[in-house]
Amino acid sequence: MREIIGTGPEFTVVGEAASGEEAIARIDDVLPDLVLMDINMPGMGGLEATQQLKFLYPSLKIVMVTVSDDITHLFEAIKRGAQGYLFKNLSPSAWREYLRAVVDDEAPMSKEIAFKLLQEFSSAASSSGASAAKSGGQPAVSDPSVMTTPLTSREKDILERVVTGESNKEIATAFGLSEHTVKNHLKNILQKLHLDNRVQLTRYAYEQGLLKK
């Protein structure tokens, strides 16, 4: 990973860790903009380390790195605060392009991953509802009051396309807008919902029933 990141001018590697515990101990010394977190490590795994790091440093961007395309790993990583998900078999140029997009809050998910992720969210919501029915409670969803300002019709249209994995360029083409305009719409959507990135937006959209299932 150091070789992949270090071959371009976009990033500088400021530290490395061999375990989740070591990562947590070192972050405070180097305060990076971005962390590449391997899911499988000795001791504390990447998922637990991600959760603890996001609690300590909420603005820290974390991208999970794995050889597995198991959607449950991706689903769990997002629940614990990860901003992205990289497969180790991607080309170095694809890595750098994706990580640059994550830093700029523009990274789309692949359509395949988005589809699987939406299926997982839907399945989880159904399971939560069934469990709540047995206990007499309500399904666990985000607080609807988090959206202090309603989304405009254009923002709703863009939201539907973002969470299915479309890039800013694809959305711009679909609606006859500039990429800059789409980016600004996305920023407004995230601000209204008090969310940080596209993966959080995907989860929120399904929890709130904002999308057609």
Side-chain angles (χ1 to χ4, degrees), residues 63-104:
V63 172
M64 308 304 295
V65 182
T66 182
V67 295
S68 171
D69 63 353
D70 187 345
I71 195 62
T72 58
H73 286 164
L74 172 59
F75 187 62
E76 189 63 30
I78 291 172
K79 287 198 296 183
R80 297 188 185 221
Q83 275 69 49
Y85 201 78
L86 267 175
F87 297 118
K88 292 182 178 179
N89 60 356
L90 291 177
S91 69
S93 61
W95 269 54
R96 292 192 295 271
E97 180 181 355
Y98 181 80
L99 294 176
R100 181 72 264 172
V102 169
V103 171
D104 293 337

Side-chain angles (χ1 to χ4, degrees), residues 18-24 38-49 52:
S19 67
E21 293 89 344
E22 187 179 349
I24 292 171
D38 202 327
I39 285 184
N40 298 309
M41 295 185 293
M44 181 188 295
L47 294 173
E48 177 63 25
Q52 292 198 29

Side-chain angles (χ1 to χ4, degrees), residues 46-212:
L47 294 173
E48 177 63 25
T50 294
Q51 183 173 341
Q52 292 198 29
L53 284 173
K54 291 298 289 187
F55 176 77
L56 295 170
Y57 310 96
S59 64
L60 182 65
K61 296 181 186 299
I62 301 177
V63 172
M64 308 304 295
V65 182
T66 182
V67 295
S68 171
D69 63 353
D70 187 345
I71 195 62
T72 58
H73 286 164
L74 172 59
F75 187 62
E76 189 63 30
I78 291 172
K79 287 198 296 183
R80 297 188 185 221
Q83 275 69 49
Y85 201 78
L86 267 175
F87 297 118
K88 292 182 178 179
N89 60 356
L90 291 177
S91 69
S93 61
W95 269 54
R96 292 192 295 271
E97 180 181 355
Y98 181 80
L99 294 176
R100 181 72 264 172
V102 169
V103 171
D104 293 337
D105 295 318
E106 294 182 1
M109 292 176 286
S110 70
K111 288 180 173 57
E112 293 80 5
I113 289 294
F115 178 73
K116 290 181 180 180
L117 187 60
L118 294 180
Q119 284 186 315
E120 188 72 17
F121 283 144
S122 181
S123 175
S126 298
S127 298
S128 176
S131 177
K134 289 182 179 181
S135 63
Q138 296 296 323
V141 296
S142 300
D143 183 358
S145 65
V146 70
M147 185 164 56
T148 54
T149 305
L151 298 180
T152 66
S153 58
R154 174 64 78 194
E155 288 169 346
K156 289 178 181 178
D157 290 340
I158 289 175
L159 169 62
E160 289 188 4
R161 289 179 176 269
V162 165
V163 301
T164 56
E166 291 193 20
S167 66
N168 288 355
K169 183 177 181 179
E170 290 172 324
I171 296 170
T173 299
F175 293 120
L177 304 172
S178 69
E179 288 187 56
H180 180 73
T181 298
V182 172
K183 185 175 180 179
N184 284 340
H185 274 305
L186 183 55
K187 285 182 178 179
N188 288 333
I189 293 169
L190 292 172
Q191 287 175 357
K192 287 182 179 181
L193 299 177
H194 304 287
L195 301 174
D196 297 324
N197 53 65
R198 290 172 184 249
V199 290
Q200 290 180 6
L201 188 61
T202 301
R203 182 182 182 187
Y204 179 87
Y206 253 75
E207 287 178 337
Q208 295 300 322
L210 299 178
L211 301 179
K212 298 175 183 178

